[in-house]
Amino acid sequence: MQVPEQGQLVQVRNRHFIVDDVFPHRDGGSSLNRVVLECLDDDAVGSRLEVVWEREVNAQVFDTSQIPSPAGGGWDTTQRFDAFTSAVRWSVSSLVEPPTLQAAFHGAIDLDEYQLVPVVRALQMTRVNLLLADDVGLGKTIEAGLVLQELIARRRARRVLIVCPASLQQQWRDEMESKFHLPFQIVDATAIQGLRREYGVHVNPWSSFPRLITSMDFLKQATRLQDFRNSLVDKQKASILRDWDLLIVDEVHNCAPSGRQRYVRDSDRTRMLRDIAPHFEHKLFLTATPHNGYTESFTALLEMLDPLRFNRGPVIDVAARDTVMIRRLKDQIRLAFGQREFAERHVDDPISVTLSGPEAQMAQDLNTYCKSRLDRAQGNDLFPVKFALTLLKKRFLSSPHAFWNSLQTHMKVAEQDQKNPDVPLVERLSERSRDDWDDDDEKARHEETALQEASQFFASLVPDERQLLRRLSESADQVSNKPDTKARELLRWIETNLRPGGEWNNERLIVFTEYRDTLEYLRQIMGEQGWGDQLMVLRGGMNLADRERVKSAFQSASSPENPVRILLGTDAASEGLNLQNHCRLLVHYEIPWNPNRMEQRNGRIDRHGQPASDVYCRHFTYTNNEDQRFLEVVVEKVRTQRADLGAVGDVIAAQVEEAILGLRTVIEDPVDRRRRQEDDLRSQVRLEQDVRDVQNGLLEARAELRLYPDVMAQMVDQALRLHGHSGLEPIEHGDLGGSAWDLRNLPAAWHDCRRYLTDQRGARLHVVFDPEVARDRHDVALVHLGHPLMKRAMSVFRSSLWEQTGGTRLHRCSYRILPDRDLPQPAVVLFGRVVALGGAGEKLHESIITLGSWIKDARLDALPDSLLHQLLRHDSVHPPIPVSLADALRTRFPAHRALLEKSLAELEASETVRVKAALAEKGKQVEKEIRDLVAERIREITKRLTDAQKESERAQLRLLDLEEKTQYDLDLHWLERRRDTLQQDRETQPGNARERFTLKSLRIFPLGLLYLLPDSLLAEDGGR
């Protein structure tokens, strides 16, 4: 049974496929072949199938080695032939030739060139491992999507997993679908239930679809992680092929080891990421705050990204960091372009609040109570007491409703005579409280539990303390269900800025709060103002459908059907969201003690794509509350040290906590942490040069691939006509005249494209191929290389490859008529597709070649490449040719075919030598790089383990608590295992590199035949 090769065309199970990969496969004692196929049939185009070739019934390999013949009786028009060769050219890729940038042409995005810099960096990597650490709002999601599209276009990525906070799952799916037309499936509890209802309880969700999205907190669960492990294919350990192609982790700082005290500790998220990362060929980590001030934490994150370049430890390899990390700040981009690329953020005009009456008394009573309890706390009681009082203080500064609820919980436990204090439990609850939450209800339940447990450490209340608590409870109860002073100031501000004269203008406002209770409090008082229709709520844990409905409404323009003006949101719902389309106003209802959180909130509107020139981020300032001066430090850090927030955020939060409890009077700048972060993150930003390189690369790629709007339109038009359709109808009048088309009555096989060509109401959109024409328009569909319409068109031509010459749709044979002064004698051009496979079965090189020859009766003489390329670019026509001339070409073709086959065989031999040498050189480079990296990692680990035995480090261990000491021991054990693994890798990995870049086979498949004819031949023939 003939085994197909990569790039050949086959028929399996009555469908037509192109062979993507062929792998050796053993079944018992039999040596078989596992073949990866991509469907070409219209009703399943692009779907994938893996088969054991020898087990298939009636599988057929099409002979694509024959040169297309003019003897079939038909000619393709120039437009159709060009569309056919373009369809093949636009899908080739190579590890031998310099990379051609393709991602920019695969998405419907308003692209800034700086966003393509990660793609250029990725193309320089054999295995893509990148930390995208750009500033909040610069478009890291778009950058990741561009890298993904580039890898897909080069057939280097198919199976993709995106891991992100739960609140961002739907956004990632929408962004990939709307901007890149890449469908993803979300894996969560609901999805698993649906899969098991449909396919049975044994279905593994991680094998259900090639592109998946899940949340980090879902995947970290033991059962989900075990399902992931069970889905992995059992491959040889030394194999360089991974089960998955690409891992994208958004907000990856949530997976870094935390450094709250003296030594960083792994979280469940850290362990999850460390567990899954080795099973991915490529990795993209995304975060605006990659560094928490602990080098050990940062290097641990980098080690999970690229274990060959990094070891977890106190020292960072600067050169390696610069290889994998891309970090640009908004100010750097602004300076590089010489003008403002982003909106100007204003934070200098706070909303003033003056407490009086019961509210002022509450603030004083709470301060008195905190001081009394802290004065009495000692030993093991001090930490839990501080923790409980901190929770009360934070909720008091948020809203009376949030404070009253927590106060009841605290009083109920504090007034009990029998208590069961548990210090380790409170420490764990405190640690978890600092994490980011996806669900506000879970957060509220956790904080209530934490407050209950911490309140167990409060000794019996003295009479003054009982009186303070009861007075606080009564006062909070009085104001918890009506607007307090801060709420009234917010309502007044809204009336001035969103309802001047009592009528809503077109401004939008986001009000952020940390707590679900405060959000409900604000919803109630705004509803009482009669603003129910103008108000929407976004909180963590919402039903996904409701969440997307709210987000869609807020991101859409105002109208009688969409009257929303105000969005109330919690921190659990804010991370990573895009809310900037129609909103430039934001209010922090309370100042988060950690400036990182405040910056995350601001980033919802101060981000790429903000149409306004200015955004305004407000906060409240208390004119008569001592706590205000400490909270202003947070605002100042956000204003002046945004680049350092990853390092100083936790330190500032801890100091604010102490200051508001009266345990310190000054907030100190964490110089050591900030300096360490600056040293670890400092890199050479070459933005201007990077952007120039990208711009040049785009121009070169567009010219080389001829990715011009008219060429792309011709591709779709000709594919439609091959299916019996009348083609695209040009728009001739109006502002779209000459640059847009109508597309009516799609062929039946194209109906799955219809939803991409209509708006939300089902109205047909005009079709355009130029991003500049589509900019800021909602009445057009921008068709790019990744658009389903373009994919369908390309598949029509690719599927025509299995039709033999003379088929009903495509002949793969054409001619062009050129003036005699440019073409003195007839010529023939053979187009071929070069496909080279490596030792691991991967496609390492693919290109389109042209082989030109002068026709001299039955003889062919070589046509120089430089002249051939000039002739192919020359203007030509395609008039009907006389029957006698066509017959003459057909008569001579058998002799010409033999000569072309000989030339093709010679070219195949020379290409084999050239590609083999180029791959060998590439293999040597990668092999040396791997050897050097492995040796460096072994040296680092050996030194680290040696240092661990020294007395100085053993002395430092005495300062660690039990959990930190446990983590320290686990890290040493991990390093020992890594050293053993690296020593094995030193023997196997270089060999794998050699195998990967060893040429297994190279074939040239004939694509099409083009005759170049002088116009005098038509005249001569006509005169006969």
Short mmCIF file of all heavy atoms in Angstrom, two decimals, residues 572-590:
data_model
loop_
_atom_site.label_atom_id
_atom_site.label_comp_id
_atom_site.label_asym_id
_atom_site.label_seq_id
_atom_site.Cartn_x
_atom_site.Cartn_y
_atom_site.Cartn_z
N ALA A 572 -13.07 41.94 40.91
CA ALA A 572 -13.13 40.59 40.38
C ALA A 572 -13.55 40.58 38.93
O ALA A 572 -13.29 39.63 38.20
CB ALA A 572 -14.09 39.73 41.21
N ALA A 573 -14.24 41.66 38.49
CA ALA A 573 -14.71 41.72 37.11
C ALA A 573 -13.85 42.62 36.24
O ALA A 573 -14.12 42.76 35.06
CB ALA A 573 -16.16 42.23 37.09
N SER A 574 -12.82 43.25 36.80
CA SER A 574 -12.13 44.31 36.07
C SER A 574 -10.87 43.86 35.36
O SER A 574 -10.49 44.47 34.36
CB SER A 574 -11.78 45.45 37.03
OG SER A 574 -10.77 45.04 37.95
N GLU A 575 -10.20 42.82 35.82
CA GLU A 575 -8.88 42.50 35.29
C GLU A 575 -8.97 42.12 33.82
O GLU A 575 -9.68 41.21 33.43
CB GLU A 575 -8.27 41.33 36.09
CG GLU A 575 -6.80 41.09 35.79
CD GLU A 575 -6.19 40.08 36.74
OE1 GLU A 575 -6.82 39.04 36.96
OE2 GLU A 575 -5.10 40.34 37.26
N GLY A 576 -8.23 42.86 33.00
CA GLY A 576 -8.11 42.54 31.59
C GLY A 576 -9.24 42.97 30.69
O GLY A 576 -9.17 42.79 29.48
N LEU A 577 -10.31 43.58 31.24
CA LEU A 577 -11.46 43.92 30.42
C LEU A 577 -11.19 45.14 29.53
O LEU A 577 -10.47 46.05 29.91
CB LEU A 577 -12.68 44.22 31.30
CG LEU A 577 -13.49 43.03 31.79
CD1 LEU A 577 -14.67 43.53 32.59
CD2 LEU A 577 -13.96 42.16 30.64
N ASN A 578 -11.82 45.14 28.35
CA ASN A 578 -11.80 46.30 27.45
C ASN A 578 -13.12 47.03 27.60
O ASN A 578 -14.17 46.50 27.24
CB ASN A 578 -11.63 45.85 26.00
CG ASN A 578 -10.37 45.05 25.78
OD1 ASN A 578 -9.36 45.30 26.42
ND2 ASN A 578 -10.43 44.08 24.90
N LEU A 579 -13.08 48.25 28.12
CA LEU A 579 -14.31 49.02 28.32
C LEU A 579 -14.16 50.45 27.79
O LEU A 579 -14.86 51.36 28.24
CB LEU A 579 -14.67 49.05 29.81
CG LEU A 579 -14.94 47.69 30.47
CD1 LEU A 579 -15.06 47.84 31.98
CD2 LEU A 579 -16.19 47.05 29.90
N GLN A 580 -13.27 50.64 26.83
CA GLN A 580 -12.86 51.98 26.44
C GLN A 580 -13.60 52.55 25.24
O GLN A 580 -13.41 53.72 24.91
CB GLN A 580 -11.34 51.98 26.12
CG GLN A 580 -10.96 51.39 24.76
CD GLN A 580 -10.90 49.88 24.77
OE1 GLN A 580 -11.38 49.23 25.68
NE2 GLN A 580 -10.29 49.30 23.75
N ASN A 581 -14.45 51.79 24.57
CA ASN A 581 -15.02 52.27 23.31
C ASN A 581 -15.74 53.61 23.44
O ASN A 581 -15.59 54.49 22.58
CB ASN A 581 -15.99 51.23 22.75
CG ASN A 581 -15.26 50.08 22.08
OD1 ASN A 581 -14.04 50.03 22.08
ND2 ASN A 581 -16.02 49.15 21.53
N HIS A 582 -16.54 53.76 24.49
CA HIS A 582 -17.36 54.96 24.63
C HIS A 582 -17.23 55.56 26.03
O HIS A 582 -18.07 56.38 26.42
CB HIS A 582 -18.82 54.65 24.33
CG HIS A 582 -19.06 54.12 22.95
ND1 HIS A 582 -19.17 54.93 21.85
CD2 HIS A 582 -19.16 52.84 22.50
CE1 HIS A 582 -19.34 54.17 20.77
NE2 HIS A 582 -19.35 52.91 21.14
N CYS A 583 -16.22 55.17 26.78
CA CYS A 583 -16.09 55.62 28.16
C CYS A 583 -14.71 56.21 28.41
O CYS A 583 -13.70 55.61 28.08
CB CYS A 583 -16.33 54.46 29.13
SG CYS A 583 -16.22 54.93 30.87
N ARG A 584 -14.69 57.41 29.02
CA ARG A 584 -13.42 58.05 29.38
C ARG A 584 -13.43 58.51 30.84
O ARG A 584 -12.51 59.19 31.28
CB ARG A 584 -13.14 59.23 28.46
CG ARG A 584 -14.15 60.37 28.56
CD ARG A 584 -13.98 61.41 27.47
NE ARG A 584 -14.87 62.53 27.68
CZ ARG A 584 -14.48 63.77 27.98
NH1 ARG A 584 -13.19 64.04 28.12
NH2 ARG A 584 -15.35 64.74 28.15
N LEU A 585 -14.47 58.17 31.58
CA LEU A 585 -14.61 58.60 32.98
C LEU A 585 -14.65 57.37 33.88
O LEU A 585 -15.37 56.41 33.62
CB LEU A 585 -15.90 59.41 33.17
CG LEU A 585 -16.10 60.63 32.27
CD1 LEU A 585 -17.45 61.27 32.55
CD2 LEU A 585 -14.97 61.64 32.47
N LEU A 586 -13.87 57.44 34.97
CA LEU A 586 -13.82 56.33 35.92
C LEU A 586 -13.70 56.90 37.33
O LEU A 586 -12.98 57.87 37.56
CB LEU A 586 -12.63 55.43 35.59
CG LEU A 586 -12.42 54.16 36.41
CD1 LEU A 586 -11.76 53.08 35.54
CD2 LEU A 586 -11.56 54.40 37.64
N VAL A 587 -14.41 56.29 38.28
CA VAL A 587 -14.35 56.70 39.68
C VAL A 587 -14.01 55.49 40.52
O VAL A 587 -14.65 54.44 40.41
CB VAL A 587 -15.68 57.32 40.15
CG1 VAL A 587 -15.68 57.50 41.67
CG2 VAL A 587 -15.92 58.67 39.47
N HIS A 588 -12.99 55.63 41.38
CA HIS A 588 -12.67 54.62 42.39
C HIS A 588 -13.50 54.93 43.63
O HIS A 588 -13.25 55.95 44.29
CB HIS A 588 -11.18 54.66 42.75
CG HIS A 588 -10.27 54.46 41.57
ND1 HIS A 588 -9.92 53.21 41.12
CD2 HIS A 588 -9.64 55.35 40.75
CE1 HIS A 588 -9.10 53.34 40.08
NE2 HIS A 588 -8.93 54.63 39.83
N TYR A 589 -14.47 54.07 43.94
CA TYR A 589 -15.32 54.40 45.08
C TYR A 589 -14.55 54.30 46.39
O TYR A 589 -14.86 54.98 47.36
CB TYR A 589 -16.55 53.49 45.12
CG TYR A 589 -17.63 54.07 46.00
CD1 TYR A 589 -18.31 55.24 45.61
CD2 TYR A 589 -17.95 53.50 47.23
CE1 TYR A 589 -19.27 55.80 46.42
CE2 TYR A 589 -18.92 54.06 48.04
CZ TYR A 589 -19.58 55.22 47.64
OH TYR A 589 -20.52 55.79 48.44
N GLU A 590 -13.55 53.42 46.41
CA GLU A 590 -12.57 53.45 47.49
C GLU A 590 -11.20 53.28 46.86
O GLU A 590 -11.08 52.70 45.79
CB GLU A 590 -12.82 52.36 48.55
CG GLU A 590 -12.53 50.95 48.10
CD GLU A 590 -13.68 50.36 47.29
OE1 GLU A 590 -14.78 50.28 47.82
OE2 GLU A 590 -13.46 49.99 46.12
#
